[in-house]
């Protein structure tokens, strides 16, 4: 028993020693990364860059988690509001209506993001060429007449709009409500705090998806497609054929890897 005990102690000591070595190695990596970050920051300051490095807190993973959270919370409340207030006669119609909001919001944010980047790059390029141009002058020049700005400047523009996304979302949400939602009285968002909360939340997350580089994308199955459990999860019922989409799947980018599964109603 004494020898067996000593043997166990020896093995434990070896394990502790290996773990300590791994910890030391990790600390060296952390120190190295910290030094590299410090050097990068110092170089940016020397080059006239920002004194505080921009940190992108909205990673694709976090965005997809918030998107899924909307489905669990705001979407469920909005669906309940639609059926309870008789806006839609049954749950399936309510689901299709909310899915339509997501689809329209997705396309709206994608186009809005493209237009914004065009306007920013166009204004900067023309402003550098002629600092005396007015807003009216800029409006009179077509986008296709502009030159391509340097890639480094384009990356900075994309980074800046991520940092300033909060104010942009306010305008994007209102423009979406005044357009798509106002044309469809069934949304009735002005008379339902649940629907309005859903729209506000979904446009914000869809905008964050649209301004990633490259943009994140969503995927929907078509009715009568074979139910693919690798991409979607069943909503309430099991089945092998898709009846209708409930919530889209999230991809890192077009033709990119799946980040978050969606939901479908199979039969």
């Amino acid at each position: 028993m004494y020898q067996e005990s000593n043997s166990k102690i020896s093995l434990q000591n070896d394990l502790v020693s290996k773990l300590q070595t791994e910890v030391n190695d990790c600390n060296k990596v952390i120190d190295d990364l910290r030094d590299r970050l410090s050097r990068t920051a110092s170089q940016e300051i020397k080059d006239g860059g920002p004194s505080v490095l921009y940190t992108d807190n909205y990673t694709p993973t976090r965005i997809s988690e918030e998107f899924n959270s909307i489905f669990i919370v705001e979407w469920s409340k909005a669906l309940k509001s639609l059926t309870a207030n008789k806006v839609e006669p049954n749950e399936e119609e309510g689901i299709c209506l909310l899915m339509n909001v997501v689809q329209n919001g997705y396309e709206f944010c994608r186009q809005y993001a493209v237009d914004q980047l065009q306007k920013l790059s166009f204004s900067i390029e023309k402003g550098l060429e002629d600092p005396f141009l007015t807003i009216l002058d800029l409006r009179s020049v077509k986008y296709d007449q502009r030159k391509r700005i340097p890639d480094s400047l384009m990356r900075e523009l994309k980074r800046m709009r991520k940092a300033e996304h909060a104010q942009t979302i306010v305008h994007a949400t209102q423009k979406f409500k005044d357009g798509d939602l106002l044309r469809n009285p069934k949304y009735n968002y002005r008379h339902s705090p649940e629907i309005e909360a859903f729209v506000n939340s979904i446009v914000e997350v869809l905008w964050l998806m649209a301004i990633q580089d490259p943009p994140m994308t969503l995927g929907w199955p078509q009715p009568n497609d074979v139910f693919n459990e690798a991409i979607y999860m069943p909503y309430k019922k099991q089945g092998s054929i898709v009846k209708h989409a409930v919530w889209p799947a999230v991809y890192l980018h077009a033709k990119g890897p799946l980040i978050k599964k969606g939901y479908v109603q199979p039969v």
Side-chain angles (χ1 to χ4, degrees):
M1 291 179 64
Y2 177 76
Q3 290 179 345
E4 184 179 353
S5 178
N6 282 339
S7 178
K8 289 182 179 179
I9 292 173
S10 178
L11 289 173
Q12 289 176 348
N13 288 336
D14 289 341
L15 179 59
V16 170
S17 179
K18 289 180 180 179
L19 290 174
Q20 186 61 52
T21 300
E22 291 181 5
V23 170
N24 291 336
D25 290 341
C26 288
N27 286 334
K28 289 180 181 178
V29 172
I30 292 172
D31 290 339
D32 179 59
L33 289 173
R34 186 181 292 111
D35 291 341
R36 289 166 60 187
L37 180 60
S38 178
R39 288 195 298 271
T40 302
S42 298
Q43 187 61 46
E44 286 206 12
I45 294 172
K46 289 179 181 178
D47 293 341
S51 58
V52 178
L53 289 178
Y54 167 67
T55 302
D56 185 6
N57 293 321
Y58 288 96
T59 63
T61 300
R62 180 182 172 187
I63 293 170
S64 66
E65 291 293 343
E66 293 200 11
F67 186 68
N68 192 62
S69 177
I70 292 173
F71 175 68
I72 296 171
V73 181
E74 285 89 349
W75 181 89
S76 298
K77 292 180 180 180
L79 180 62
K80 184 177 180 180
S81 173
L82 285 172
T83 53
N85 296 328
K86 308 298 182 183
V87 177
E88 290 297 346
N90 55 58
E91 185 180 76
E92 183 175 329
E93 291 296 326
I95 290 173
C96 291
L97 179 62
L98 294 178
M99 191 69 202
N100 188 251
V101 173
V102 178
Q103 290 172 327
N104 289 342
Y106 172 67
E107 294 300 330
F108 169 82
C109 287
R110 287 183 63 185
Q111 189 58 53
Y112 191 28
V114 171
D115 291 345
Q116 185 194 50
L117 206 57
Q118 284 183 335
K119 290 175 181 177
L120 287 171
S121 58
F122 174 75
S123 298
I124 290 175
E125 178 229 325
K126 290 302 178 184
L128 290 173
E129 287 181 1
D130 185 354
F132 301 102
L133 284 176
T134 66
I135 297 297
L136 291 177
D137 293 330
L138 289 173
R139 288 177 179 176
S140 65
V141 183
K142 294 182 179 179
Y143 284 137
D144 58 6
Q145 294 178 354
R146 75 188 192 285
K147 302 173 186 175
R148 178 179 173 82
I149 67 173
D151 290 340
S152 58
L153 184 54
M154 181 61 75
R155 286 194 297 270
E156 185 63 24
L157 285 177
K158 291 178 179 179
R159 189 176 73 165
M160 286 175 60
R161 75 170 178 176
K162 280 186 178 183
E164 302 295 333
H165 75 274
Q167 190 60 39
T168 306
I169 288 170
V170 173
H171 296 287
T173 304
Q174 192 58 51
K175 191 173 181 64
F176 180 63
K177 288 178 180 179
D178 292 343
D180 291 64
L181 296 192
L182 201 60
R183 286 193 294 267
N184 191 337
K186 282 188 175 182
Y187 290 132
N188 204 22
Y189 73 92
R190 288 168 295 182
H191 305 292
S192 170
E194 294 84 6
I195 302 297
E196 185 163 14
F198 171 71
V199 172
N200 291 341
S201 296
I202 201 64
V203 173
E204 179 176 1
V205 173
L206 291 174
W207 175 253
L208 289 169
M209 288 182 178
I211 63 175
Q212 297 302 300
D213 190 20
M216 298 168 67
T217 60
L218 302 179
W220 297 268
Q222 296 299 314
N224 300 319
D225 282 354
V226 175
F227 173 56
N228 188 343
E229 62 182 12
I231 303 176
Y232 302 99
M233 292 184 284
Y235 177 75
K236 290 188 175 181
K237 299 179 181 179
Q238 298 292 330
S240 57
I241 302 297
V242 174
K243 185 178 183 182
H244 60 81
V246 176
W247 194 250
V250 181
Y251 295 88
L252 183 60
H253 52 77
K255 298 181 180 180
L258 177 71
I259 300 180
K260 186 70 66 175
K261 288 185 177 182
Y263 288 84
V264 299
Q265 180 61 74
V267 290

